C-alpha cells in the first residue's frame, strides 16, 4: 500500500459557483439530508468526496441549495409535501442543466430516479454503490491487496430501496469483493433481505408496540452470521422461514468484523442495533464508500 | 339422447351458468375500484404471466411447498383433458370419446392417474402442514379465523374426493373390461393396482363406474361454484392478476395527479387546472378523496389483488413489522379488502363467509372504529398502517404479484391528507421539511458544514501533474 505523501485540503465544488463561471460539471453529487446533517453519515459523505477527488471526477454539489427530496413525506402519505419538494428540486436541477446525479442515499436515489419523471424531472441517477462498481471496473479504484480489510469478515446488509425497490444487488457486493475480505451472506439477503426498520418514514417515529424492534432482529441476524453462531441463527429463523440454502459461516470469535451498509438509515439502525447488543467493541458498521476510501488510503 | 344425457346437460348448464353469474358479480365488485389505465405492454405482461402465473416462478423461493403445489397444479391442468372428455361423453352418450388419440390418450390417462395419486399425497402433506399441533407459522395468525381455516381444509377435502371419484370410475371401468375380456382404451397404472379391491359383480361395477363418473363431474361443477366464495378462486384469477401487475420498479410509488395540478397552480398562478370530470348526467362528479378510506377509493387492480389472494401468508411471514410482533399483517390487509368489498357490494350467494369487521373476535377488535365502518378504521386500523416500513418484502414474496403496499400507502394518504391524522412525530417531520428542507430540525444554513476542514491523503501515484 502506497504511503500517503501529502495531505491536502479539499474544497468541494459548489454548483452555483461553477455556474457563475459558466461551467457545468459532469455529475451532481446529491448529498441528501442524512449525508449533510447526520454526524455519522457525514463521514460517508466525506469519504465519498475523497474518492471523487482521488479519481478526478468532474463533479459539484448543491451545497445550501439542496433540500429534502420529499421521500419521507411521500412514504408517510403526505403526497402534497412530497410534490412541493420535488418541484422545487426539479427547478433547481433544470436551472443548472443537470443531467447526471450520483447519491449515497438509496431513498434519494429511488425518489429522483423513479418518482421525479412523473413531475417532469428526467435525469440519469446512480447510486454510489453502482458508481463505485464502475470506478472499480474502469480500474480507477484498485485497492491493491484489499487494503486493511483483507481477510476481515464482512456481511452486507441490503437496503430495501436499493435492492427490492430497484433490483441492485450485485453492485455493492462487487465493491466489497475488491477488499479481499471474508464475505459472508446473511440468510435473508438480496431479494429476501430483511429491512433495517427505518424505511417508510419509520426513521422519524417510534415503532408500534411489538415484541422486538426491527433493527434488533436484523442486527441479531447480522451478528449471528458474522459469528457463525448456528444456534442463534436457528432461533432467529424458526420453522420454515423459507429461503433454504444458506449455511452458517465457520464459527469464529470474529474480532473486528464488519456490517457493511449502503444507506444512511440502515447505518443508523444497524449501529444502534450493535450498541443494543453491546458489540460495538468488536463489530463495526461501515458504508461502502468508507471501506473503499480507507482501503485506498485516502483518509487524512 | 337418453334421459341420462339430458340430465347431464341440464346439470352442466346449471353449474357453468351459475359460475358465470357469480364471476360477473366478482367482476362488478372489482370494477367499483378507481379507474387505472392498464392497456399496452401486452408482450411484457404476457411474458410475466407466463413466468409467474403459469410457470410458478416465485413459488420456487421455497422448495418444499413449491413441489407439493406443483403436483396439485399440474394435476389440475392435466385433469382438464379428462373433464373435456367427460363433458362430451355426458352430452352425447359416448364412452371415453378421446380414445381415438391412441398412444396420446394412453399417455394422458397414465399421467392423470399418477398425478392423481400424487395429488392425494400432496393434499395430505398440505393438511398436515396446516392442522398439526404446531402448524407452519404462516398458516397461523389472527386473520386466519374460523372461515379461512375451514375454507383451506374444505378445498383439500374436495380435492381428495375428486381424486377418489376418478379412481373409482377408472378402476370399475377397467375391471368391467377385464371381466368382458375386452381391451380398455388407455393406460391406468394406479387403477390397475386397485382392481383387486373391487367386486367381480358386473352390475355392481357398472353402478360403481357411474357413481365415480357422476361424482367426479358433479364434484367439479360444485367445486367450480365454490371457488367464488373461497380463497381457491386464485386458480383462475391469479392469471389476470399477474398480467395486470406492476411493470415499474417496486420502489416507485404512484403519483397523485390531482395533487400535481394543485402544486403546479400554487407555484405558477397562470397554470390552468384541468376541469374535473363530468358525470354522465352533465353534473360535476363528486370529488374523490385523496387516498383511500374505503374499498371503492382503491384502484380496481388493488381489488383484483384481493380476489387473487389464496391466504398463503408468505407476505406476512417476511414482513419485518409482523416478524417483530406488530399488528401489521399484509395478508390481513388483502383479506380485509375482499371481505369489505363483499360486505359493501355484491356478496357471494352460495357460501357467505363470516365477514368480520366490527364483529370480529380479533386482536385489533378493540381498536376498530364502529362509527366509521369502512375499510380504513372499520377493518384496518391506523396502527397496522403506520407499522409498515415500505420495504417491499411482501410484494416480492407474493407468488401471484399481489401488492399490499399500494393499498397501505393509499390509506396512509387518506389519513394524512384528508384527516391530518399522522402520528405526531411524523407531523413534526413534515413541518421540518416544510420549514428547514430536511426531515430533522437542522438549520438549512448548516447544510454544507460537512465539507468544513475536509482533508485527504494525496498519494504519489494519484497526484495529478
Amino acid at each position: 500500500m502506497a504511503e500517503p505523501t501529502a495531505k491536502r485540503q479539499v474544497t468541494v465544488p459548489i454548483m452555483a459557483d461553477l455556474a457563475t463561471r459558466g461551467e457545468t460539471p459532469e455529475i451532481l453529487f446529491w448529498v441528501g439530508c442524512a449525508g449533510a446533517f447526520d454526524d455519522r453519515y457525514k463521514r460517508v459523505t466525506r469519504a465519498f468526496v475523497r474518492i471523487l477527488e482521488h479519481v478526478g471526477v468532474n463533479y459539484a454539489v448543491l451545497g445550501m441549495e439542496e433540500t429534502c427530496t420529499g421521500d419521507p413525506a411521500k412514504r408517510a402519505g403526505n403526497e402534497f409535501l412530497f410534490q412541493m419538494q420535488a418541484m422545487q428540486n426539479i427547478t433547481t436541477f433544470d436551472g443548472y442543466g443537470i443531467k447526471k446525479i450520483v447519491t449515497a442515499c438509496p431513498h434519494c436515489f429511488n425518489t429522483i430516479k423513479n418518482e421525479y419523471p412523473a413531475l417532469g424531472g428526467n435525469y440519469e441517477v446512480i447510486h454510489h454503490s453502482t458508481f463505485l462498481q464502475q470506478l472499480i471496473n474502469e480500474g480507477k479504484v484498485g485497492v491493491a491487496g484489499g487494503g486493511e480489510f483483507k481477510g476481515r469478515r464482512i456481511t452486507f446488509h441490503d437496503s430495501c430501496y436499493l435492492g427490492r425497490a430497484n433490483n441492485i444487488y450485485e453492485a455493492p457486493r462487487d465493491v466489497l469483493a475488491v477488499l479481499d475480505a471474508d464475505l459472508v451472506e446473511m440468510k435473508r439477503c438480496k431479494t429476501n433481505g430483511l429491512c433495517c426498520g427505518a424505511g417508510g418514514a419509520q426513521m422519524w417515529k417510534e415503532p408500534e408496540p411489538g415484541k422486538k424492534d426491527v433493527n434488533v432482529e436484523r442486527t441479531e441476524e447480522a451478528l449471528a452470521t458474522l459469528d457463525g453462531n448456528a444456534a442463534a441463527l436457528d432461533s432467529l429463523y424458526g420453522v420454515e422461514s423459507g429461503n433454504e440454502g444458506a449455511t452458517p459461516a465457520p464459527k469464529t470469535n470474529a474480532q473486528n468484523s464488519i456490517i457493511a451498509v449502503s444507506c444512511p438509515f440502515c447505518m443508523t439502525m444497524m449501529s444502534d442495533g450493535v450498541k443494543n447488543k453491546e458489540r460495538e467493541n468488536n463489530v463495526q458498521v461501515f458504508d461502502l464508500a468508507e471501506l473503499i476510501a480507507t482501503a485506498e488510503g485516502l483518509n487524512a | 339422447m337418453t334421459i341420462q344425457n339430458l340430465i347431464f346437460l341440464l346439470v352442466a348448464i346449471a353449474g357453468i351458468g351459475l359460475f358465470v353469474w357469480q364471476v360477473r358479480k366478482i367482476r362488478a365488485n372489482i370494477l367499483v375500484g378507481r379507474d387505472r389505465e392498464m392497456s399496452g405492454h401486452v408482450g411484457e405482461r404476457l411474458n410475466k404471466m407466463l413466468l409467474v402465473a403459469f410457470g410458478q416462478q416465485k413459488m420456487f423461493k421455497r422448495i418444499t411447498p413449491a413441489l407439493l403445489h406443483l403436483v396439485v397444479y399440474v394435476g389440475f391442468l392435466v385433469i382438464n383433458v379428462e373433464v373435456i372428455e367427460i363433458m362430451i361423453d355426458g352430452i352425447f352418450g359416448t364412452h371415453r370419446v378421446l380414445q381415438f388419440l391412441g398412444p396420446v390418450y394412453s399417455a394422458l390417462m397414465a399421467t392423470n392417474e399418477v398425478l392423481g395419486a400424487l395429488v392425494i399425497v400432496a393434499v395430505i402433506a398440505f393438511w398436515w402442514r396446516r392442522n398439526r399441533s404446531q402448524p407452519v407459522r404462516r398458516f397461523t395468525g389472527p386473520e386466519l379465523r374460523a372461515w379461512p381455516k375451514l375454507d383451506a381444509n374444505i378445498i383439500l377435502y374436495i380435492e381428495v374426493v375428486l381424486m377418489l371419484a376418478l379412481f373409482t370410475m377408472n378402476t370399475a371401468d377397467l375391471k368391467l373390461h377385464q371381466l368382458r375380456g375386452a381391451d380398455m382404451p388407455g393406460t391406468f397404472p394406479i387403477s390397475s393396482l386397485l382392481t383387486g379391491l373391487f367386486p367381480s359383480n358386473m352390475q355392481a361395477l357398472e353402478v360403481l363406474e357411474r357413481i365415480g363418473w357422476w361424482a367426479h363431474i358433479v364434484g367439479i361443477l360444485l367445486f367450480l361454484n365454490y371457488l367464488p366464495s373461497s380463497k381457491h378462486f386464485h386458480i383462475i384469477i391469479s392469471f389476470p392478476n399477474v398480467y395486470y401487475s406492476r411493470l415499474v420498479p417496486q420502489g416507485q410509488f404512484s403519483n397523485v395527479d390531482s395533487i400535481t395540478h394543485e402544486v403546479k397552480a400554487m407555484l405558477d398562478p397562470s397554470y390552468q387546472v384541468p376541469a374535473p370530470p363530468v358525470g354522465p348526467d352533465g353534473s360535476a362528479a363528486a370529488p374523490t378523496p385523496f387516498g383511500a378510506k374505503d374499498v371503492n377509493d382503491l384502484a380496481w387492480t388493488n381489488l383484483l389483488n384481493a380476489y387473487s389472494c389464496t391466504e398463503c401468508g408468505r407476505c406476512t411471514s417476511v414482513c419485518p413489522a409482523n416478524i417483530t410482533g406488530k399488528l401489521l399483517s399484509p395478508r390481513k390487509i388483502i383479506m380485509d379488502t375482499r371481505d369489505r368489498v363483499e360486505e359493501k357490494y355484491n356478496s357471494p350467494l352460495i357460501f357467505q363467509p363470516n365477514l368480520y369487521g366490527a364483529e370480529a373476535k380479533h386482536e385489533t377488535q378493540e381498536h376498530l372504529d364502529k362509527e366509521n365502518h369502512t375499510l380504513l378504521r372499520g377493518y384496518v386500523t391506523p396502527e397496522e398502517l403506520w407499522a409498515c416500513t415500505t420495504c417491499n418484502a411482501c410484494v416480492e414474496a407474493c407468488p401471484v404479484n399481489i401488492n399490499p403496499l399500494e393499498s397501505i400507502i393509499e390509506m396512509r394518504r387518506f389519513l394524512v391528507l384528508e384527516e391530518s391524522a399522522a402520528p405526531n412525530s411524523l407531523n413534526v417531520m413534515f413541518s421540518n421539511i416544510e420549514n428547514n428542507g430536511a426531515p430533522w430540525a437542522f438549520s438549512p444554513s448548516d447544510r454544507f458544514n460537512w465539507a468544513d476542514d475536509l482533508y485527504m491523503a494525496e498519494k504519489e501515484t494519484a497526484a495529478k501533474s
Side-chain angles (χ1 to χ4, degrees):
Chain A
M1 200 157 106
E3 284 297 306
T5 52
K7 164 174 147 173
R8 73 167 170 102
Q9 184 162 14
V10 177
T11 311
V12 180
I14 298 174
M15 201 55 90
D17 296 345
L18 268 66
T20 52
R21 296 203 299 269
E23 293 171 27
T24 309
E26 187 197 337
I27 289 178
L28 171 74
F29 170 33
W30 176 267
V31 177
C33 299
F37 292 119
D38 180 272
D39 280 337
R40 178 66 188 84
Y41 220 65
K42 278 193 222 173
R43 278 156 49 196
V44 176
T45 307
R46 290 159 72 93
F48 189 60
V49 162
R50 289 187 183 110
I51 296 169
L52 291 172
E53 291 279 336
H54 171 61
V55 297
V57 175
N58 181 9
Y59 78 103
V61 299
L62 283 169
M64 280 188 267
E65 276 190 279
E66 212 181 85
T67 178
C68 175
T69 59
D71 160 80
K74 188 174 178 91
R75 311 297 140 191
N78 195 338
E79 184 70 12
F80 193 86
L81 179 55
F82 159 72
Q83 291 199 12
M84 292 293 286
Q85 292 298 119
M87 298 279 194
Q88 191 181 338
N89 285 320
I90 290 169
T91 307
T92 309
F93 292 153
D94 291 348
Y96 290 121
I98 287 163
K99 302 272 185 292
K100 193 170 174 182
I101 301 169
V102 62
T103 178
C105 173
H107 294 258
C108 298
F109 164 74
N110 176 68
T111 302
I112 301 173
K113 174 177 170 284
N114 295 323
E115 291 163 356
Y116 278 25
L119 300 169
N122 292 285
Y123 317 99
E124 185 191 346
V125 192
I126 307 171
H127 184 253
H128 79 318
S129 59
T130 308
F131 189 79
L132 291 171
Q133 180 195 34
Q134 287 168 2
L135 292 181
I136 289 162
N137 291 345
E138 291 163 12
K140 290 179 179 165
V141 174
V143 194
E148 66 179 75
F149 301 106
K150 186 178 168 66
R152 277 171 75 177
R153 186 165 282 183
I154 301 180
T155 191
F156 178 67
H157 162 77
D158 285 278
S159 149
C160 304
Y161 275 81
L162 197 60
R164 277 187 295 268
N166 288 291
N167 286 314
I168 298 176
Y169 300 108
E170 293 312 319
R173 291 176 167 81
D174 285 357
V175 172
L176 291 172
V178 301
L179 299 175
D180 201 14
D182 174 18
L183 292 179
V184 289
E185 289 284 5
M186 288 182 264
K187 188 169 162 184
R188 290 182 287 201
C189 68
K190 300 182 185 172
T191 56
N192 302 318
L194 182 73
C195 178
C196 70
Q202 299 295 335
M203 186 74 196
W204 292 275
K205 59 183 270 297
E206 285 304 310
E208 277 60 33
K211 61 183 199 283
K212 199 193 262 188
D213 284 344
V214 178
N215 68 324
V216 173
E217 168 87 8
R218 184 54 162 173
T219 308
E220 285 173 355
E221 182 178 15
L223 294 175
T225 304
L226 289 169
D227 297 344
N229 185 341
L233 290 172
D234 282 350
S235 79
L236 265 175
Y237 297 135
V239 184
E240 216 235 11
S241 65
N243 330 329
E244 291 93 342
T247 43
K251 194 167 173 122
T252 61
N253 295 314
Q255 291 297 305
N256 292 318
S257 52
I258 292 166
I259 300 170
V261 296
S262 60
C263 167
F265 307 141
C266 299
M267 169 71 86
T268 303
M269 298 309 262
M270 299 309 285
S271 302
D272 286 354
V274 171
K275 278 189 206 112
N276 177 288
K277 296 272 129 193
E278 298 179 340
R279 289 290 300 271
E280 62 272 48
N281 57 334
N282 57 16
V283 176
Q284 291 162 292
V285 186
F286 283 124
D287 178 84
L288 299 174
E290 293 178 299
L291 294 170
I292 293 298
T294 305
E296 191 78 339
L298 303 178
N299 296 337
Chain B
M1 190 176 266
T2 66
I3 186 80
Q4 209 189 74
N5 300 141
L6 193 65
I7 292 171
F8 176 80
L9 193 63
L10 291 176
V11 167
I13 288 171
I16 293 167
L18 189 58
F19 177 69
V20 170
W21 182 67
Q22 292 202 75
V23 168
R24 288 171 62 93
K25 284 180 147 202
I26 288 176
R27 182 171 183 275
N29 276 359
I30 290 169
L31 292 179
V32 304
R34 281 188 190 169
D35 200 17
R36 177 182 281 183
E37 183 53 50
M38 298 299 284
S39 56
H41 304 281
V42 174
E44 207 179 337
R45 291 188 182 282
L46 283 175
N47 191 37
K48 193 171 52 165
M49 191 171 81
L50 209 63
L51 279 174
V52 175
F54 190 76
Q56 313 246 305
Q57 188 188 38
K58 288 172 89 179
M59 285 295 287
F60 280 85
K61 283 193 164 202
R62 302 185 189 197
I63 195 73
T64 313
L67 290 174
L68 292 171
H69 184 268
L70 186 71
V71 165
V72 180
Y73 168 66
V74 177
F76 163 72
L77 291 182
V78 175
I79 212 164
N80 281 315
V81 179
E82 178 116 15
V83 173
I84 290 168
E85 180 178 58
I86 289 182
M87 285 286 181
I88 299 172
D89 286 350
I91 295 167
F92 299 104
T94 48
H95 186 69
R96 296 196 180 265
V97 69
L98 296 182
Q99 58 181 279
F100 71 89
L101 293 170
V104 177
Y105 187 73
S106 290
L108 276 171
M109 290 301 114
T111 312
N112 212 4
E113 285 234 319
V114 172
L115 283 168
L118 288 172
V119 165
I120 293 176
V121 173
V123 163
I124 292 168
F126 280 147
W127 189 91
W128 175 244
R129 286 162 65 85
R130 283 179 181 272
N131 294 285
R132 65 191 184 212
S133 60
Q134 269 213 312
V136 172
R137 191 185 90 100
R138 62 188 167 89
F139 299 135
T140 62
E143 66 270 27
L144 285 195
R145 295 151 297 119
W147 164 250
K149 278 193 169 151
L150 179 64
D151 183 25
N153 285 333
I154 287 174
I155 295 160
L156 298 178
Y157 300 145
I158 295 177
E159 279 168 357
V160 170
V161 168
L162 289 178
M163 290 307 117
L164 292 180
L166 176 80
F167 287 126
T168 307
M169 175 180 99
N170 284 350
T171 310
D173 203 6
L174 198 59
K175 190 144 187 181
L176 276 171
H177 278 78
Q178 283 172 359
L179 292 179
R180 290 180 190 133
D183 250 358
M184 167 97 160
T187 309
F188 300 88
I190 307 294
S191 294
S192 57
L193 301 174
L194 301 175
T195 46
L197 301 173
F198 274 53
S200 300
N201 177 324
M202 296 279 272
Q203 219 168 3
L205 285 173
E206 274 167 20
V207 171
L208 276 173
E209 195 273 342
R210 283 294 94 185
I211 288 176
W213 190 91
W214 277 97
H216 191 60
I217 191 64
V218 171
I220 282 173
L221 289 170
L222 285 175
F223 199 24
L224 190 67
N225 280 288
Y226 176 73
L227 296 185
S229 311
S230 162
K231 75 190 188 85
H232 209 52
F233 198 51
H234 85 285
I235 64 172
I236 293 164
I237 203 168
S238 56
F239 288 86
N241 190 64
V242 172
Y243 181 85
Y244 285 115
S245 61
R246 288 154 49 104
L247 300 171
V248 297
Q250 283 177 3
Q252 181 178 330
F253 287 15
S254 66
N255 193 58
V256 183
D257 293 334
S258 55
I259 290 179
T260 309
H261 296 311
E262 276 190 44
V263 170
K264 280 187 175 162
M266 267 181 73
L267 298 173
D268 173 13
S270 66
Y271 179 79
Q272 290 290 319
V273 177
V278 177
D281 56 349
S283 64
T288 49
F290 296 127
K293 183 185 192 187
D294 212 342
V295 281
N296 51 315
D297 300 324
L298 292 169
W300 67 270
T301 48
N302 303 133
L303 304 182
L304 181 65
N305 278 184
Y307 274 101
S308 309
C309 178
T310 190
E311 301 163 11
C312 73
R314 282 171 175 76
C315 53
T316 295
S317 76
V318 296
C319 173
N322 191 276
I323 287 171
T324 56
K326 278 81 172 177
L327 276 187
L328 174 63
S329 162
R331 170 172 60 184
K332 177 178 175 293
I333 308 260
I334 298 299
M335 290 171 68
D336 282 348
T337 305
R338 179 168 174 176
D339 285 352
R340 172 60 185 158
V341 82
E342 298 197 333
E343 181 192 47
K344 189 173 180 183
Y345 298 98
N346 297 305
S347 62
L349 197 87
I350 312 235
F351 302 96
Q352 195 123 342
N354 50 343
L355 299 166
Y356 57 123
E359 294 82 39
K361 292 277 176 288
H362 190 271
E363 241 179 85
T364 57
Q365 186 185 20
E366 58 196 278
H367 308 279
L368 289 175
D369 185 337
K370 291 176 185 69
E371 302 289 298
N372 291 297
H373 191 61
T374 49
L375 179 64
L376 175 62
R377 298 189 192 280
Y379 284 77
V380 180
T381 59
E383 182 178 330
E384 292 161 66
L385 299 172
W386 291 119
C388 175
T389 70
T390 71
C391 76
N392 266 305
C394 56
V395 179
E396 183 76 35
C398 181
V400 296
N401 284 2
I402 293 169
N403 191 323
L405 181 51
E406 276 189 359
S407 303
I408 292 171
I409 290 299
E410 288 300 336
M411 284 186 271
R412 279 189 178 184
R413 282 176 178 164
F414 188 89
L415 285 171
V416 171
L417 298 170
E418 296 283 349
E419 297 188 332
S420 301
N424 200 40
S425 48
L426 289 186
N427 285 328
V428 171
M429 181 264 283
F430 296 152
S431 66
N432 281 332
I433 293 178
E434 280 166 32
N435 299 323
N436 315 321
W440 295 285
F442 290 110
S443 165
S445 59
D446 292 338
R447 191 176 265 277
F448 196 42
N449 290 358
W450 62 265
D452 293 348
D453 303 316
L454 174 56
Y455 292 90
M456 69 181 286
E458 191 86 320
K459 283 190 286 187
E460 224 169 327
T461 48
K464 308 280 173 309
S465 55

